[in-house]
Amino acid sequence: MPRSFFEYLLSGVVDYSIWFGSPGNYETNLVMVEAKKTRSLDEGMLSFLGYMGMIHHARKTAKMQDTPVYGIVTDSFRWDFIQIRADSEVQNPWDILECH
């Protein structure tokens, strides 16, 4: 079955990021988003992944050698740590560790 692909233009501003160079050169690899309501972490996860994806895509488009992006999304009660690897796969380290 053929897959349909659509292009979307994403835009947004993350709550916090850590830069190690020039923002114009996409020299960040950590994004942090704060959930706007207590215990509403899941509601913000898609926006959070969108922000991470925008940075990852910009780094790949700029042909940077080091393209993984790391992120933290929190409502101050729960903290989720996510990684977009160089191969563009999204990984939640807690899924690997199976911590509950």
Side-chain angles (χ1 to χ4, degrees), residues 3-22:
R3 297 175 102 184
S4 298
F5 293 95
F6 299 93
E7 288 189 24
Y8 295 94
L9 176 63
L10 299 178
S11 65
V13 178
V14 300
D15 293 322
Y16 306 97
S17 61
I18 295 178
W19 297 94
F20 57 84
S22 169

Side-chain angles (χ1 to χ4, degrees), residues 35-98:
K36 303 306 179 228
K37 294 186 288 187
T38 302
R39 305 199 190 281
S40 66
L41 204 58
D42 293 332
E43 294 174 18
M45 187 59 76
L46 289 177
S47 296
F48 171 65
L49 289 171
Y51 297 143
M52 288 182 65
M54 286 186 286
I55 292 170
H56 179 69
H57 177 74
R59 291 169 63 87
K60 287 185 78 96
T61 300
K63 306 225 184 295
M64 296 181 80
Q65 297 272 334
D66 188 22
T67 60
V69 176
Y70 302 88
I72 304 166
V73 62
T74 183
D75 63 359
S76 78
F77 291 96
R78 184 174 126 198
W79 294 71
D80 281 358
F81 300 85
I82 306 291
Q83 175 190 20
I84 299 180
R85 300 185 322 212
D87 63 1
S88 301
E89 291 290 321
V90 175
Q91 181 176 17
N92 180 336
W94 299 122
D95 290 342
I96 294 170
L97 298 174
E98 295 185 12

